[in-house]
Amino acid sequence: MFRLSTTPASRKPVAATALAAFSLLALAGCAGGGGGTDANGVTKVTLSMQNPDVETADPATWAIIEAFEDANPDVDIEVSGQAVAEHLQSLSIAAQSDTLPDIFWVYKATAEEMLEAGRLLDLTPILADLGIDEKLPESTIDNFTVDGVTYGVPYQGLLTGLWVNQAILEEHDLEVPETFDELVKVAETLSDAGVTTISNGANQSSFSVWSFLVMLERFGYGEKIDAILAGEESYDNDDFVRLYEHIAELRDAGAFASNVSTQTYQQAVDQFLNGNAAMLDAGVWASSAIQESDIAENVTFWKGPEFEDGVGEQNIIMNVASAPLVVDHKVGDNEEKLNAVTAFLDFYYSDEAQQILVENGQPPVTKYEPEIDPETQSALKSAIDAATAEGVTSPQSQPDLLVPTAVASAMYDSIYGVIQDQLTPQQAVELVEAALEDER
């Protein structure tokens, strides 16, 4: 049931074995279910996240935890984290031995496997008692509910697309494009001038293809994925092949940096912040770094190109709940720990905590209307404005969150494979279809 993730860095058997052993040991230190309240009356709750350094990499979550502990000195939130691939692998192993942390971030598809195996706590009554279900959009609740059981709550919002340095475009007599054909022309013009159009980084961050996942939705992914997962339809279909052909067009137009295969996501961000790329493939989480940079006043957020040969709705933006936070089922057997987890969830979805998200460059995940300073938070405002523009819609979930981890990894590899001219569009879709067949 719980398959280990397969990433480019972990495909060698010896390396994978060593990683699995290390990951299990790392997660064992934060496994929940045991103990309750210590001699000092403090209840420890373990929280495992998808960042090795949560304080630095995820200041919004860290600030919420600190504010919660200040208000609840009788609860200690013990935070741990690993990079995404290692984190998911650790959780899969821990699920097999029933030693999961109390609260943890996990992909939606993996969470639903854990729910089926009886490893997750049904949050339905807790959310109802606290009124959280009324604070969250109905689509969010539905996204994390199976057969009447709500197993997860949104960690943060996934508002993704392309950040655009308008000053670079203006310097070359260009405007922010609307269609894919216009984007190709922008790439050709900037490439001739020696300027990178879209900053991406594949090294150790193959998941950083958010804008292309949005494009996948513009070729009917949301309408096809259930049939694809059931084996009734294939990822190798004409619509998806056409999208990958467009990615190849962008590559051939010189849209990407020559070192895209060797630079990391953070280096891609730095490339953009230093004014060496016109666009950055990222999400709203980059708004704080952009705001603190010299280019902030020139940056706007773009939902990405619409396609004349796309499938279905084109005026969409990826503005969805991120992979959920879930709770280990054993928490329900420990009254002190259950009370502490309930208090944490109550605080996390309070207006106070949602404003903390906003102050750290994240949109609220509830219906809370935030206070945003248009001058000191201009980057965040541009992203939220794009998401709330008239007529714009959003998918229910980001494409990679709807599939098993190994398939998501293959999706990343397929996109970067075409960007790096290592795969043809046909080979790219076949790569993902092969991963799907292994999971069926």
Side-chain angles (χ1 to χ4, degrees):
M1 176 62 70
F2 301 107
R3 296 180 175 90
L4 303 186
S5 63
T6 304
T7 63
S10 64
R11 285 182 180 144
K12 294 182 181 179
V14 173
T17 301
L19 175 61
F22 174 79
S23 299
L24 185 57
L25 287 172
L27 199 60
C30 65
T37 304
D38 65 18
N40 296 316
V42 176
T43 302
K44 182 178 75 172
V45 173
T46 55
L47 173 65
S48 183
M49 302 298 291
Q50 81 289 11
N51 288 302
D53 182 358
V54 176
E55 181 176 4
T56 301
D58 188 0
T61 297
W62 191 262
I64 288 176
I65 292 169
E66 287 195 315
F68 170 76
E69 290 183 331
D70 286 345
N72 297 270
D74 56 340
V75 180
D76 174 27
I77 304 294
E78 184 178 285
V79 184
S80 64
Q82 296 169 283
V84 173
E86 288 86 348
H87 175 75
L88 292 172
Q89 188 175 56
S90 298
L91 292 174
S92 292
I93 297 171
Q96 293 172 10
S97 58
D98 203 10
T99 56
L100 288 163
D102 296 323
I103 308 173
F104 55 96
W105 177 99
V106 66
Y107 275 1
K108 170 183 165 71
T110 306
E112 291 181 359
E113 289 182 349
M114 292 178 175
L115 178 66
E116 184 179 353
R119 296 292 191 253
L120 300 184
L121 184 69
D122 179 3
L123 300 178
T124 309
I126 295 176
L127 302 185
D129 289 346
L130 297 176
I132 294 175
D133 55 355
E134 297 296 326
K135 294 181 179 180
L136 295 172
E138 184 177 349
S139 60
T140 298
I141 295 291
D142 290 345
N143 198 32
F144 300 138
T145 299
V146 174
D147 295 332
V149 174
T150 302
Y151 60 84
V153 282
Y155 148 65
Q156 287 178 1
L158 266 179
L159 173 49
T160 67
L162 291 162
W163 293 98
V164 182
N165 186 336
Q166 297 176 99
I168 291 179
L169 297 186
E170 291 171 2
E171 182 182 345
H172 297 276
D173 297 321
L174 298 167
E175 297 180 351
V176 177
E178 293 183 7
T179 68
F180 177 77
D181 290 342
E182 291 172 352
L183 176 58
V184 170
K185 290 178 181 177
V186 166
E188 290 172 341
T189 300
L190 293 180
S191 179
D192 289 343
V195 178
T196 296
T197 300
I198 303 175
S199 188
N200 283 90
N203 186 20
Q204 301 177 26
S205 46
S206 63
F207 53 84
S208 57
V209 288
W210 299 283
S211 68
F212 297 97
L213 295 175
V214 182
M215 294 180 201
L216 194 57
E217 283 288 344
R218 297 190 179 111
F219 281 82
Y221 182 92
E223 292 72 33
K224 293 180 173 69
I225 186 57
D226 286 344
I228 289 174
L229 288 171
E232 299 166 359
E233 193 168 335
S234 174
Y235 193 92
D236 180 1
N237 63 76
D238 291 343
D239 294 329
F240 289 3
V241 170
R242 208 159 57 249
L243 169 61
Y244 281 90
E245 288 173 345
H246 286 316
I247 298 173
E249 283 183 66
L250 275 179
R251 178 200 65 215
D252 294 343
F256 307 104
S258 59
N259 65 336
V260 65
S261 63
T262 58
Q263 75 175 357
T264 64
Y265 165 70
Q266 186 55 54
Q267 289 169 329
V269 173
D270 293 340
Q271 182 182 48
F272 179 73
L273 296 181
N274 292 330
N276 296 321
M279 303 178 187
L280 171 66
D281 186 353
V284 70
W285 56 84
S287 64
S288 293
I290 292 171
Q291 200 67 53
E292 295 170 0
S293 73
D294 294 335
I295 66 171
E297 64 180 7
N298 300 318
V299 174
T300 190
F301 189 83
W302 179 38
K303 64 183 175 61
E306 298 184 9
F307 295 83
E308 185 176 344
D309 61 348
V311 176
E313 180 62 51
Q314 296 296 302
N315 187 21
I316 61 172
I317 194 167
M318 191 61 69
N319 182 26
V320 300
S322 175
L325 293 175
V326 300
V327 178
D328 177 32
H329 72 106
K330 294 193 301 298
V331 167
D333 300 325
N334 185 316
E335 184 177 359
E336 293 90 353
K337 189 161 287 192
L338 179 61
N339 289 338
V341 168
T342 299
F344 179 70
L345 294 178
D346 191 23
F347 182 81
Y348 196 99
Y349 299 100
S350 67
D351 290 352
E352 178 184 352
Q354 294 304 295
Q355 186 62 37
I356 290 174
L357 282 177
V358 172
E359 290 167 359
N360 285 273
Q362 295 284 347
V365 296
T366 68
K367 300 173 185 176
Y368 169 68
E369 295 185 6
E371 298 176 13
I372 300 177
D373 188 315
E375 294 185 5
T376 62
Q377 292 181 295
S378 60
L380 176 62
K381 185 177 185 302
S382 72
I384 292 179
D385 286 348
T388 56
E390 185 176 357
V392 71
T393 61
S394 177
Q396 186 175 32
S397 183
Q398 186 168 273
D400 57 332
L401 301 181
L402 296 175
V403 298
T405 304
V407 177
S409 198
M411 290 170 67
Y412 311 147
D413 290 350
S414 70
I415 294 169
Y416 267 125
V418 174
I419 287 174
Q420 298 173 73
D421 203 11
Q422 295 174 345
L423 296 173
T424 66
Q426 183 60 46
Q427 289 171 332
V429 295
E430 289 173 357
L431 176 70
V432 182
E433 178 59 25
L436 283 159
E437 289 176 358
D438 286 343
E439 295 288 333
R440 290 181 184 130

